[in-house]
């Protein structure tokens, strides 16, 4: 089947199998910043923002995501113009192996859109379901806190 | 090959679901896990206008397309601290709460859905259209899977949940873990007496049980005498083996948690409302 997808502001026409999940379709079309982890909706590394909500793309049929806005981490900043969250992750050492990082940043991005000055509890809660297996979450939470401070001082 | 359908009205969706080997898809995760290869049609419900939450004359109605995240947010504003808001806001993880729908959970009551305990104590109902159109209580709905054949779940109905002290507990190792069991308690006290109380335990060999003996023993009881009741004995429920522990262990800790939740509802009313 065919479908139109709006990826990071671009309009794409893609073909896919009726039972394909969004994760596979995104990766097959070059969005490899969306990572494949468990494939069961547990680890969160495949997270994307679908019509404004953070979802596990391995748990979304591509057919049901047609005509929708999809945001991956590549859509919020680039290497030359990084988003404050991306800068904060690098500066605090929250990027370790990097595998969970895109989804962590997207989860934090959704949180800060809704809650610009989150508490540590709110950060932990927003990032639940995003697993990091390098060490832990202290630097990740620190990065979100730092980005929140910087982003609110810009405004 | 399976075909996808995108109806825009309840009638259209119900008619499609009346066909053989057609399955509804609200947006949740169950069909992804089970696969759609054996179906002739998948009826995507995202365009059917069932994404609402409203109250009317003391009845709360939540449309089948509301996600757990939206419902929890809306309920937190309408009825802060109510058991539904607590349960739906705690289920699964943030990205999954953004997908799991009320209708999908009412169809399957999967392990990761925290809906069934609050449904049991609030005595919620399931409204449907299609072959078995009507309003169904939880127990017959769970007992008779054929009620769902050719049927579209349109909404869940609950009596105003603000009129209770709510306590909700999910037994997990980490926050977004599948719960080994959940405890739902609604209570109302009047002076030194228990005016009314409802207690449900989910996750045992029965998917959800109302602890009738315990409710009966507590109803009208003097609060001073509650401590002398053997709540744990009245909360004894059988469990199967789970990753979280043996049947004996789960039965024991479930009884302990029931006792804690009941006492929390009755003796720390203001803190748990």
């Amino acid at each position: 089947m065919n479908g139109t997808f709006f990826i990071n502001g671009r309009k794409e026409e893609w073909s896919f199998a009726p039972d394909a999940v969004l994760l596979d379709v995104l990766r097959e079309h070059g969005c490899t910043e969306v990572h494949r982890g468990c494939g069961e909706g547990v680890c969160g590394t495949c997270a994307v923002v679908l019509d404004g909500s953070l979802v596990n793309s391995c748990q979304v049929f591509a057919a049901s995501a047609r005509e929708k806005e999809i945001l991956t981490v590549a859509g919020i900043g680039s290497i030359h113009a990084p988003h404050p969250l991306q800068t904060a992750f690098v500066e605090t050492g929250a990027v370790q192996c990097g595998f969970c990082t895109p989804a962590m940043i997207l989860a934090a991005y959704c949180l800060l859109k809704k809650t610009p000055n989150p508490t540590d509890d709110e950060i932990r809660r927003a990032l639940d379901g995003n697993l990091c297996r390098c060490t832990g979450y202290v630097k990740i939470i620190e990065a979100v806190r730092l980005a929140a401070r910087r982003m609110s001082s810009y405004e | 090959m399976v075909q996808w359908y995108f109806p825009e009205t309840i009638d259209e969706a119900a008619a499609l679901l009346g066909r053989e080997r057609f399955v509804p898809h609200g947006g949740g995760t169950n069909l992804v896990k089970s696969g759609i290869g054996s179906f002739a049609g998948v009826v995507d419900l995202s365009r059917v206008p069932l994404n609402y939450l409203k109250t009317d004359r003391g009845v709360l109605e939540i449309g089948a397309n509301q996600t757990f995240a939206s419902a929890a947010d809306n309920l937190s504003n309408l009825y802060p601290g109510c058991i539904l808001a607590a349960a739906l806001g705690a289920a699964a993880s943030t990205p999954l709460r953004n997908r799991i729908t009320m209708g999908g959970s009412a169809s399957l009551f999967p392990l990761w859905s925290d809906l069934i305990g609050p449904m049991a104590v609030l005595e919620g109902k399931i409204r449907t259209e299609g072959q078995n159109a009507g309003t169904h209580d939880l127990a017959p709905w769970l007992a008779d899977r054929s009620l769902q054949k050719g049927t579209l779940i349109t909404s869940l109905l609950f009596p105003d949940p603000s009129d209770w002290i709510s306590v909700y507990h999910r037994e997990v190792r980490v926050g977004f873990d599948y719960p080994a069991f959940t405890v739902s308690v609604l209570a109302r006290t009047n002076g030194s007496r228990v005016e009314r109380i409802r207690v449900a335990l989910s996750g045992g060999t029965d998917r959800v049980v109302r602890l009738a003996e315990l409710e009966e023993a507590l109803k009208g009881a003097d609060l001073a005498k509650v401590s002398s009741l053997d709540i744990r004995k009245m909360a004894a429920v059988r469990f199967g083996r789970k990753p979280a522990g043996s049947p004996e262990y789960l039965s024991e800790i479930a009884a302990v948690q029931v006792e804690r939740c009941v006492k929390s509802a009755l003796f720390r009313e203001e803190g748990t409302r």
Side-chain angles (χ1 to χ4, degrees):
Chain A
M1 60 196 294
N2 300 315
T4 304
F5 300 85
F6 298 93
I7 312 287
N8 299 331
R10 299 186 318 270
K11 184 179 178 184
E12 301 280 2
E13 303 284 344
W14 289 339
S15 306
F16 52 91
D19 61 349
V21 292
L22 183 58
L23 167 64
D24 292 336
V25 175
L26 287 169
R27 288 185 61 85
E28 279 161 19
H29 291 89
C31 299
T32 51
E33 70 274 20
V34 186
H35 291 169
R36 180 198 306 282
C38 67
E40 295 183 349
V42 174
C43 73
T45 54
C46 64
V48 299
V49 183
L50 180 68
D51 274 356
S53 294
L54 188 76
V55 301
N56 292 324
S57 62
C58 74
Q59 297 296 301
V60 177
F61 284 115
S64 67
R66 290 188 302 179
E67 308 290 335
K68 295 192 172 169
E69 299 274 352
I70 297 159
L71 182 69
T72 75
V73 77
I76 69 166
S78 68
I79 197 156
H80 300 297
H83 187 276
L85 267 164
Q86 292 168 315
T87 310
F89 265 66
V90 172
E91 287 179 20
T92 57
V95 179
Q96 296 171 109
C97 82
F99 191 69
C100 72
T101 309
M104 289 283 184
I105 289 175
L106 282 179
Y109 175 84
C110 290
L111 168 70
L112 297 185
K113 278 219 144 192
K114 195 174 165 189
T115 313
N117 295 299
T119 63
D120 281 5
D121 270 355
E122 286 169 327
I123 296 172
R124 284 191 194 97
R125 192 171 152 70
L127 268 53
D128 70 1
N130 290 89
L131 304 185
C132 167
R133 284 294 173 261
C134 285
T135 56
Y137 301 90
V138 171
K139 289 173 189 289
I140 292 168
I141 292 167
E142 200 180 311
V144 180
R145 235 187 270 133
L146 175 62
R149 274 203 307 275
R150 285 180 177 167
M151 288 165 72
S152 46
S153 67
Y154 287 143
E155 290 159 9
Chain B
M1 187 183 282
V2 63
Q3 292 286 317
W4 281 76
Y5 296 84
F6 295 86
E8 296 189 353
T9 67
I10 289 173
D11 288 346
E12 205 185 331
L16 285 166
L17 290 171
R19 297 191 195 173
E20 277 300 310
R21 294 172 50 230
F22 271 53
V23 65
H25 178 51
T29 59
N30 183 67
L31 273 185
V32 178
K33 286 187 199 305
S34 65
I36 55 175
S38 62
F39 296 106
V42 178
V43 183
D44 186 292
L45 302 172
S46 58
R47 295 177 191 172
V48 181
L50 294 172
N51 187 0
Y52 59 83
L53 187 147
K54 61 188 181 189
T55 56
D56 184 25
R57 282 170 285 187
V59 176
L60 166 67
E61 181 171 2
I62 308 178
N65 283 2
Q66 276 265 295
T67 63
F68 271 26
S70 303
D73 274 355
N74 291 333
L75 286 163
S76 297
N77 293 328
L78 272 175
Y79 306 112
C82 87
I83 198 162
L84 263 178
L88 302 180
S93 62
T94 301
L96 290 175
R97 279 193 298 277
N98 285 334
R99 290 293 289 174
I100 301 171
T101 62
M102 297 296 286
S105 285
S107 168
L108 303 158
F109 288 110
L111 192 59
W112 55 86
S113 162
D114 282 42
L115 181 61
I116 200 165
M119 277 287 283
V121 289
L122 284 166
E123 299 180 347
K125 294 178 192 296
I126 298 151
R127 180 173 280 170
T128 57
E129 291 292 341
Q131 284 179 20
N132 295 301
T135 304
H136 309 276
D137 290 330
L138 180 62
W141 178 261
L142 290 175
D144 184 2
R145 289 279 298 172
S146 71
L147 284 174
Q148 297 195 40
K149 193 170 165 51
T151 300
L152 171 70
I153 297 170
T154 55
S155 64
L156 305 186
L157 305 168
F158 302 93
D160 181 344
S162 63
D163 192 30
W164 294 94
I165 304 158
S166 297
V167 176
Y168 185 70
H169 172 79
R170 59 200 311 267
E171 186 70 20
V172 288
R173 295 164 291 187
V174 294
F176 59 89
D177 203 359
Y178 291 176
F181 61 84
T182 69
V183 181
S184 305
V185 178
L186 296 183
R188 191 82 188 153
T189 53
N190 185 357
S192 63
R193 292 207 168 270
V194 182
E195 191 176 289
R196 47 193 169 144
I197 188 159
R198 296 177 188 168
V199 186
L201 186 57
S202 76
T205 48
D206 292 318
R207 298 179 77 182
V208 66
V209 284
R210 281 278 295 273
L211 302 176
E213 184 191 358
L214 176 59
E215 290 180 4
E216 194 56 38
L218 288 168
K219 190 178 166 190
D222 193 314
L223 283 172
K225 292 182 181 165
V226 168
S227 296
S228 63
L229 292 172
D230 192 346
I231 293 176
R232 291 188 200 182
K233 190 177 173 192
M234 288 182 275
V237 166
R238 291 181 60 189
F239 279 82
R241 179 165 291 281
K242 294 186 178 196
S246 67
E248 297 78 13
Y249 171 74
L250 291 172
S251 183
E252 184 67 27
I253 57 169
V256 169
Q257 292 297 358
V258 167
E259 182 179 42
R260 286 183 182 167
C261 291
V262 165
K263 289 185 173 173
S264 175
L266 297 179
F267 299 117
R268 292 192 288 118
E269 183 170 340
E270 289 309 315
T272 56
R273 189 183 291 272

